[in-house]
Amino acid sequence: MIIGDIFSGRVGISDLTIDGTREDLTEGVAERVRRFGVAFVPNWLTGSTLTSFQDEFGEAFSAVEGREVEPLTSTGKDVAEHYGQTRTGLHLKYHHGEMLQKALPRTREIFAQEWMASVATSFLGKPCTLHRHLVLCDDFKPRDEIMPYHYDEVGTLKFLVYLDDVDRENGAFHAIPGTSSSTRRLRESEWLRCDDVEKIRTNVIESFSQEAIHAVYGQYKSFLLSRAIAFEAPAGSLLVFDTDTIHRAGTLAEGKRCRVVRASSYRGYWP
Ligand SMILES: O=C(O)CCC(=O)C(=O)O
Ligand SMILES: [Fe+2]
């Protein structure tokens, strides 16, 4: 018997990866999201589809240039309706429906793929609201961490696409597989504690003590962090994740840029 040894059961990036051309993409993605909280489809968009997606992104930001930008809230939360500031750049938010159809027809078509609806209904159950909004994010102001490790206040399923080649220097998405069911309990207890989106503590590593983290996740912070996976990948790669999986957007080094598009799907009906 080995007393005091660690039996870790580490999950690697290959466990989360699925080939985007596979016929069983829906099941492959849904199964990984259910099991680990995140699925990774490298090079999901390529060639002219990727180029037109990138072009439409550029055109959307050109169209709002010079307009007033909505600031972050006093606690640093981002609640902009359309054209907003982030701590590291700018974003544009589009509601599903006519607004999206008019402004971003090609992007809308990319996100209207049947398999995405199947993954959403399989994971979120019915009813659910597919891609309630899409956010175009352009990060260009250097920072150690674009967004620290957190969960989102409302549990959602997100589809996130890289528009640039991403590595550890330009905002790689990171996730800690296997954390979602514990986080869900933490998120729900935060809502019951204060029922105020501004006061909900979402930055798991920064806002909670070692003891609280151990009570919820059964591990101390350093061990939890050692299990994080950085998704370094070419432009056009896709991540599908349960936002209850602890996640972050990593370092943005001087002179680097990271553009992503994120679509959020919710349980139940959201107008
Ligand atoms: O853009 C990223 O890498 C992370 C964004 C994020 O936290 C989210 O979409 O919930
Ligand atoms: Fe998030």
Side-chain angles (χ1 to χ4, degrees), residues 118-139:
S118 303
V119 168
T121 52
S122 156
F123 181 74
L124 299 167
K126 289 182 188 171
C128 67
T129 308
L130 181 68
H131 306 329
R132 177 185 165 227
H133 49 240
L134 256 80
V135 180
L136 278 49
C137 246
D138 189 358
D139 290 306

Side-chain angles (χ1 to χ4, degrees), residues 147 150 152 158 160 171-173 241 243 247-250 260 262:
M147 237 184 264
H150 69 281
D152 291 16
K158 282 197 181 165
L160 182 160
F173 176 78
F241 65 102
T243 58
H247 61 282
R248 74 161 179 170
V260 302
R262 300 190 294 250

Side-chain angles (χ1 to χ4, degrees), residues 185 210-219:
R185 279 190 280 133
Q210 288 282 11
E211 291 77 9
I213 290 299
H214 194 281
V216 174
Y217 295 97
Q219 297 163 38

Side-chain angles (χ1 to χ4, degrees), residues 70-264:
E70 296 170 65
L72 293 170
T73 70
S74 58
T75 56
K77 298 223 178 192
D78 159 19
V79 292
E81 267 299 303
H82 182 49
Y83 185 32
Q85 219 166 40
T86 64
R87 292 188 306 178
T88 44
L90 294 166
H91 78 190
L92 274 171
K93 191 174 190 177
Y94 297 85
H95 208 261
H96 71 84
E98 212 177 303
M99 179 190 190
L100 184 65
Q101 176 62 43
K102 270 205 185 127
L104 305 171
R106 284 166 281 161
T107 302
R108 190 194 168 279
E109 206 178 306
I110 288 169
F111 282 84
Q113 296 182 29
E114 201 53 48
W115 75 269
M116 293 174 134
S118 303
V119 168
T121 52
S122 156
F123 181 74
L124 299 167
K126 289 182 188 171
C128 67
T129 308
L130 181 68
H131 306 329
R132 177 185 165 227
H133 49 240
L134 256 80
V135 180
L136 278 49
C137 246
D138 189 358
D139 290 306
F140 48 84
K141 297 183 197 161
R143 199 179 171 101
D144 276 354
E145 211 171 30
I146 294 178
M147 237 184 264
Y149 281 109
H150 69 281
Y151 61 87
D152 291 16
E153 292 89 349
V154 177
T156 82
L157 179 72
K158 282 197 181 165
F159 291 83
L160 182 160
V161 187
Y162 289 157
L163 276 87
D164 292 299
D165 294 341
V166 167
D167 60 28
R168 282 174 193 267
E169 294 227 305
N170 70 325
F173 176 78
H174 291 61
I176 309 182
T179 48
S180 35
S181 58
S182 300
T183 304
R184 183 172 181 160
R185 279 190 280 133
L186 182 64
R187 176 170 58 76
E188 288 170 350
S189 60
E190 278 294 286
W191 274 106
L192 296 174
R193 182 182 65 85
C194 62
D195 196 2
D196 178 349
V197 72
E198 283 283 319
K199 294 194 183 127
I200 288 184
R201 297 169 297 172
T202 55
N203 294 343
V204 268
I205 303 297
E206 288 170 13
S207 307
F208 295 90
S209 69
Q210 288 282 11
E211 291 77 9
I213 290 299
H214 194 281
V216 174
Y217 295 97
Q219 297 163 38
Y220 290 116
K221 292 179 189 178
S222 57
F223 193 76
L224 209 50
L225 289 172
S226 77
R227 306 175 78 128
I229 291 178
F231 294 91
E232 298 182 82
S237 298
L238 168 72
L239 286 142
V240 185
F241 65 102
D242 170 357
T243 58
D244 279 338
T245 302
I246 302 176
H247 61 282
R248 74 161 179 170
T251 304
L252 191 64
E254 193 73 44
K256 299 283 182 175
R257 188 178 188 198
C258 173
R259 294 172 302 165
V260 302
V261 172
R262 300 190 294 250
S264 309

